Amino acid sequence: MTKRIAFLASDARVAQTAREALVARYGHVAPRDADVVVALGGDGFMLHTLHGTQHLNTPVYGMNRGTIGFLMNAYTETDLMSRLAEAEEEVINPLIMTAMDQSGKKHEALAINEVSLLRAGPQAARLRIGVDGRVRMAELVCDGALLATPAGSTAYNYSAHGPIVPIGADVLALTPIAAFRPRRWRGALLPKRAQVRFEVIEADKRPVIVSADSVAFPDIDWVEIRSEPKVEHRILFDPGHGLEERLISEQFT
């Protein structure tokens, strides 16, 4: 059966040109009417597309027309229907973040890759870290810290020297960013069901910004993060090029 496809593209000219060619060849429907959404861009646009279509429960197949393409498949125009028919599906759960800023306002956001806290001034951040209601680190002096999903473990987490986590592992990676004290602390692997709380010590003097993927909030007082199993993102990959294979391959490059 011919699939109804919604083609979405980033603002980059190369992505827009690809979309025009694919729409001319395969047609186009609105995302709400599609059997599959094809995202054209890089990983940033893929995350944007997944967030924007999560209420539809429609699988997303990405083709790389951007800079980074860890979540994307190779771009071609001629055999899309057969590739979609043979594609393998990965289902991932995002993190849900609740944050309170210094004015007392609460913020919520979902993160497919990671939730990160970063210092927003010249002085290092001071963070208190709790897991499931128990303080595990009374003070971490650092540039920041992040909590990453397995799908996001090769992104910012890996750049911060955090571990790559297999896609099937029910764990989250808690990774410090430029830790000053304790200097040798390299982070922790936590159960997927864990609830992590960061409290900002001296928040007025040492301001911190929190980011859930690309959504950011300044002047944070505390942040709570947990996995959200009620939300599922369906991502399609060419056979043999799924997230599990990519996560393993990344460790041998």
Side-chain angles (χ1 to χ4, degrees):
M1 184 178 73
T2 301
K3 291 183 180 293
R4 297 171 298 172
I5 305 173
F7 290 100
L8 305 179
S10 71
D11 293 333
R13 184 58 196 161
V14 65
Q16 290 292 325
T17 299
R19 182 182 183 277
E20 293 168 5
L22 290 165
V23 168
R25 182 183 289 266
Y26 299 103
H28 168 77
V29 299
R32 65 178 179 275
D33 299 320
D35 299 310
V36 60
V37 172
V38 172
L40 303 163
D43 281 349
F45 185 71
M46 183 62 160
L47 294 176
H48 174 79
T49 301
L50 291 170
H51 282 298
T53 61
Q54 68 187 33
H55 63 290
L56 300 175
N57 195 34
T58 304
V60 179
Y61 180 88
M63 287 201 286
N64 192 7
R65 293 283 84 185
T67 305
I68 301 173
F70 186 81
L71 296 174
M72 315 301 276
N73 299 285
Y75 176 77
T76 61
E77 294 177 13
T78 57
D79 57 351
L80 180 58
M81 286 301 182
S82 62
R83 292 175 74 184
L84 292 176
E86 297 170 1
E88 301 172 348
E89 182 175 297
E90 299 272 9
V91 178
I92 60 175
N93 303 119
L95 301 172
I96 185 167
M97 175 205 77
T98 302
M100 176 81 76
D101 66 25
Q102 293 181 59
S103 71
K105 184 177 180 179
K106 275 191 176 182
H107 307 275
E108 285 194 355
L110 293 174
I112 296 167
N113 273 359
E114 78 280 316
V115 174
S116 57
L117 291 83
L118 296 168
R119 75 177 194 181
Q123 291 184 297
R126 296 175 63 202
L127 305 176
R128 180 177 296 115
I129 303 174
V131 180
D132 294 331
R134 179 177 176 182
V135 175
R136 291 291 183 175
M137 183 163 289
E139 182 181 80
L140 172 66
V141 182
C142 57
D143 280 355
L146 61 87
L147 189 69
T149 66
S153 65
T154 62
Y156 192 7
N157 173 71
Y158 194 38
S159 297
H161 307 292
I164 293 179
V165 181
I167 193 65
D170 288 334
V171 298
L172 305 173
L174 172 56
T175 302
I177 302 170
F180 175 71
R181 189 173 60 243
R183 192 180 298 272
R184 296 185 182 278
W185 189 62
R186 297 302 182 188
L189 291 174
L190 302 176
K192 185 178 179 180
R193 65 181 182 278
Q195 179 165 300
V196 180
R197 180 180 174 93
F198 294 97
E199 296 178 8
V200 182
I201 303 170
E202 296 183 309
D204 54 340
K205 180 181 178 181
R206 301 169 184 263
V208 168
I209 186 171
V210 66
S211 177
D213 287 346
S214 60
V215 179
F217 305 100
D219 300 324
I220 292 303
D221 190 40
W222 57 260
V223 179
E224 290 183 345
I225 313 163
R226 60 176 174 81
S227 181
E228 179 49 275
K230 294 180 181 178
V231 178
E232 294 184 339
H233 296 288
R234 301 168 61 195
I235 310 177
L236 300 177
F237 293 96
D238 292 332
H241 296 277
L243 279 179
E244 182 175 345
E245 171 60 28
R246 293 174 188 223
L247 288 167
I248 293 173
S249 296
E250 188 74 16
Q251 297 174 82
F252 291 91
T253 56

